Amino acid sequence: MLEVRNLSVNYYVDEGTVNAVAGVTFNLKEGEILGILGESGSGKSTLGFALLRLVDRPGEIVSGEIILNGLDILLMPERELRRVRGAQIAMVFQDPFTALNPVLTIGEQIMEPIVLHQGVKRGEARAKAAEALRAVKIDPARIDDYPHQFSGGMRQRVVIAMALACRPKILIADEPTTALDVTIQAEILALLREIKNQFNLSIIYITHNFGIIRQLCDRVVVMHRGAIVEEGKTHLVFDQPKEPYTKKLVDCLRELG
Amino acid sequence: MRRNKAAIFGLAIMAIFLGLAIFAPVIAPYSPDEISSAGASPPSWQHLFGTDDLGRDVLSRSLYGARISLSVGAVAVVIALLLGTLAGAVAGYYGGWVDGSIMRAVDVMFAFPSIFLILAIQAMLTPNIYNVMFVIGLTSWMGVARLVRGEFLRIRQLQYVEAARAIGCGDLRIIFRHMLPNAQGPIIVAATLGMAGAILTESALSFLGMGVQPPMSSWGNMLMDSQAYMRDAPWMSIIPGLLIMVTVLSLYFIGEGVRETLSPKERHAGS
Ligand SMILES: Nc1ncnc2c1ncn2[C@@H]1O[C@H](COP(=O)(O)OP(=O)(O)O)[C@@H](O)[C@H]1O
Ligand SMILES: [Mg+2]
């Protein structure tokens, strides 16, 4: 479905070069939820952004291939790349409080990718936006409300609706529940599972939380300092971690109960 | 709260002045160039604000002058806002060498005291009202550029900009649809303060004889005409001076009021 080979991303900062993603290779299979696990600073978000070529100054993708439908995202011209973003691969972000534009209604924001990619009339886009809201269990009557009228959990649902609006095949979710409290977190995870089946999605789920990976993901890759140190079926990695780093993460989780 | 009262007061004054300027032909008791008395005469029932050295009605000239002064201020500030917003947005959004060169140009423009720059340019052009508008606009956009650049640097860090890129938006769409509307508060503040500045600059220019040319009246050239009669006909200078002062203060009050109302909300939306 999506094949990543030897991907490397550097940040050029005053103190020198940070090799945030260091030669990462993995693939995402159709219909699976793949977890990317690693402690804070291990390069997970950078990897997620790099998959859509969203890495921005002072960062730069220095090598690798990201193959989607036989085409390398890293070699695409800008116009073609924009047709992938939001239409074939969509993203959900960590902080629902800043991921929505405060001056636009949620309807306008959900309609935006539809208008951009499908070139449909506003009325039709609005109907599709309402449908996306229904899919994330928000009353479509609230389509003209502004983000500040929603709670954090509801906003994250709006962000998910925006990501789903064009029916992408792949969803990248970067710690979408980290900013939310535990009950809301469980709701969002349940919602992700549900939309995955409903929309036939493949999901890359990024988190530092092994507990969530166990609940949600079929497979997991473990990242440490920009590199993948271990990869496999979630229960295998959890029951018999091979790498000392993974063992440490598992022990941590066990201690927490 | 107190600031807001001042802002509403300022807004009311500006609304009244605007109304007076628009309806000047209806309200003015005389035509602005009409010689309606023999030389300067003090305020009276015939001439509420007196007459100037040529015997023209100061009230009528002030009303027509409001049209000129306010429109010079408005057009100049619109030019400055367009230029400054564009320069600041491009600099803040693209960063790197684009930012470096734009901000260098801003620094250079700032390094010249703008009144000298304006005088130098004006000396080369015929000093008519359009040139005054353009020259003031072209020499006062730098503050807006710095402000908008700062806002863009801040907004650029927010996730909704990243989110817009992630759904496939291009640069222009991100700049104009997603970022600019979120920078509008400070831009409105800059507009009111900038208009006050432009009105002052027009007055200064006219006072130096390089601004709006007679017989057209502006508050600035009324003030200039009054120079020689400061002692004998003080109303000739007091009236336009007061009008300029009240207008500038009103605009400042409005700007400060907008700044005040915006800041808590901005902090809320921006973190
Ligand atoms: N914009 C940036 N500028 C400089 N360094 C960055 C930037 N973003 C991330 N990094 C660095 O890259 C590394 C990986 O960061 P990140 O991808 O955010 O990790 P994670 O999402 O796993 O917490 C860290 O060392 C971080 O300091
Ligand atoms: Mg992260």
Side-chain angles (χ1 to χ4, degrees):
Chain A
M1 176 108 249
L2 186 73
E3 270 193 64
V4 179
R5 289 190 210 122
N6 197 29
L7 183 66
S8 289
V9 182
N10 287 350
Y11 287 103
Y12 302 102
V13 290
D14 293 340
E15 298 78 44
T17 302
V18 180
N19 190 203
V21 176
V24 161
T25 298
F26 68 90
N27 64 343
L28 173 70
K29 293 177 188 148
E30 179 144 12
E32 77 172 340
I33 304 185
L34 174 69
I36 293 182
L37 175 68
E39 61 192 351
S40 172
S42 55
K44 308 180 300 291
S45 294
T46 304
L47 173 60
F49 284 129
L51 294 180
L52 272 177
R53 235 167 87 189
L54 289 169
V55 177
D56 201 6
R57 260 176 314 104
E60 194 193 347
I61 300 174
V62 286
S63 70
E65 289 168 42
I66 301 168
I67 310 294
L68 174 75
N69 305 327
L71 292 175
D72 187 348
I73 287 180
L74 296 183
L75 298 179
M76 280 179 186
E78 183 76 20
R79 276 174 57 94
E80 215 172 306
L81 176 66
R82 294 220 308 259
R83 282 202 291 266
V84 171
R85 290 175 179 165
Q88 299 185 57
I89 304 180
M91 263 188 111
V92 175
F93 297 87
Q94 177 165 351
D95 183 3
F97 292 94
T98 63
L100 293 170
N101 190 330
V103 304
L104 299 175
T105 65
I106 62 161
E108 286 170 317
Q109 298 186 62
I110 300 171
M111 282 160 67
E112 185 147 26
I114 302 170
V115 172
L116 275 176
H117 295 295
Q118 303 182 344
V120 297
K121 292 220 179 63
R122 279 190 70 81
E124 197 178 327
R126 198 177 152 87
K128 288 187 176 197
E131 202 180 306
L133 278 177
R134 229 172 272 123
V136 299
K137 308 207 169 54
I138 290 178
D139 182 358
R142 300 197 62 182
I143 193 163
D144 293 320
D145 286 357
Y146 285 89
H148 72 262
Q149 294 169 279
F150 294 85
S151 67
M154 294 289 269
R155 285 192 214 191
Q156 198 59 297
R157 287 171 190 265
V158 173
V159 174
I160 293 171
M162 200 169 147
L164 290 178
C166 290
R167 304 289 170 92
K169 286 272 145 276
I170 298 172
L171 187 70
I172 301 170
D174 185 1
E175 311 234 21
T177 64
T178 305
L180 305 172
D181 62 45
V182 182
T183 42
I184 311 290
Q185 192 169 320
E187 284 174 29
I188 298 287
L189 293 179
L191 176 68
L192 281 176
R193 234 178 263 124
E194 200 177 316
I195 59 166
K196 183 211 143 210
N197 294 327
Q198 189 182 344
F199 293 91
N200 238 329
L201 282 170
S202 312
I203 299 179
I204 294 178
Y205 193 97
I206 296 172
T207 180
H208 65 274
N209 184 331
F210 212 151
I212 292 179
I213 299 263
R214 276 185 77 198
Q215 288 175 45
L216 190 71
C217 301
D218 308 300
R219 260 183 340 123
V220 60
V221 298
V222 183
M223 274 184 88
H224 182 44
R225 294 196 182 159
I228 292 182
V229 293
E230 184 155 2
E231 173 181 356
K233 291 243 189 283
T234 306
H235 64 272
L236 292 179
V237 172
F238 189 74
D239 292 340
Q240 300 149 349
K242 292 195 204 85
E243 293 298 316
Y245 177 70
T246 320
K247 257 188 205 117
K248 233 173 54 194
L249 292 179
V250 172
D251 289 343
C252 259
L253 184 66
R254 290 233 161 85
E255 262 167 48
L256 289 171
Chain B
M1 216 40 224
R2 204 184 310 136
R3 284 252 173 85
N4 269 336
K5 267 188 199 140
I8 288 166
F9 181 73
L11 215 52
I13 298 275
M14 286 315 292
I16 291 170
F17 278 15
L18 197 65
L20 290 175
I22 291 171
F23 295 109
V26 185
I27 303 165
Y30 301 90
S31 133
D33 304 327
E34 186 182 336
I35 292 167
S36 51
S37 107
S41 59
S44 64
W45 286 113
Q46 275 89 45
H47 302 283
L48 283 179
F49 290 172
T51 61
D52 67 8
D53 55 313
L54 299 179
R56 298 174 297 190
D57 182 53
V58 171
L59 172 60
S60 304
R61 285 185 71 71
S62 298
L63 288 168
Y64 279 89
R67 301 183 128 192
I68 304 296
S69 290
L70 294 180
S71 45
V72 167
V75 173
V77 90
V78 165
I79 294 171
L81 281 183
L82 286 177
L83 281 175
T85 301
L86 200 66
V90 168
Y93 182 78
Y94 289 102
W97 66 269
V98 177
D99 184 24
S101 13
I102 291 176
M103 292 332 280
R104 196 67 34 82
V106 165
D107 291 339
V108 169
M109 293 271 304
F110 256 131
F112 287 104
S114 65
I115 193 74
F116 287 133
L117 196 61
I118 295 172
L119 286 174
I121 300 174
Q122 277 294 82
M124 292 184 283
L125 302 170
T126 44
N128 63 39
I129 175 173
Y130 303 106
N131 286 337
V132 171
M133 291 172 173
F134 280 106
V135 167
I136 296 176
L138 291 176
T139 51
S140 59
W141 54 275
M142 298 84 73
V144 180
R146 275 196 184 156
L147 181 98
V148 171
R149 170 182 179 265
E151 280 297 291
F152 266 60
L153 287 177
R154 176 182 70 79
I155 295 169
R156 207 168 191 292
Q157 304 298 319
L158 301 176
Q159 265 181 8
Y160 61 79
V161 174
E162 201 78 61
R165 285 219 286 154
I167 58 169
C169 291
D171 291 347
L172 287 181
R173 201 178 172 93
I174 293 177
I175 291 175
F176 288 106
R177 180 171 162 87
H178 290 277
M179 297 179 74
L180 203 50
N182 281 290
Q184 65 184 317
I187 294 176
I188 293 170
V189 176
T192 56
L193 304 186
M195 182 157 167
I199 288 173
L200 280 177
T201 308
E202 184 274 324
S203 306
L205 272 183
S206 296
F207 192 78
L208 296 169
M210 310 278 281
V212 174
Q213 296 300 299
M216 206 180 244
S217 67
S218 78
W219 295 341
N221 71 13
M222 287 172 71
L223 207 52
M224 178 192 71
D225 290 343
S226 74
Q227 277 178 92
Y229 309 95
M230 219 76 105
R231 262 220 316 244
D232 301 330
W235 57 89
M236 272 179 69
S237 48
I238 289 173
I239 298 297
L242 267 179
L243 289 170
I244 293 168
M245 194 179 84
V246 170
T247 304
V248 168
L249 279 179
S250 299
L251 288 166
Y252 271 112
F253 287 153
I254 296 171
E256 286 299 322
V258 174
R259 197 204 302 277
E260 180 123 310
T261 20
L262 281 177
S263 49
K265 218 197 298 173
E266 292 241 313
R267 236 170 292 153
H268 185 74
S271 61

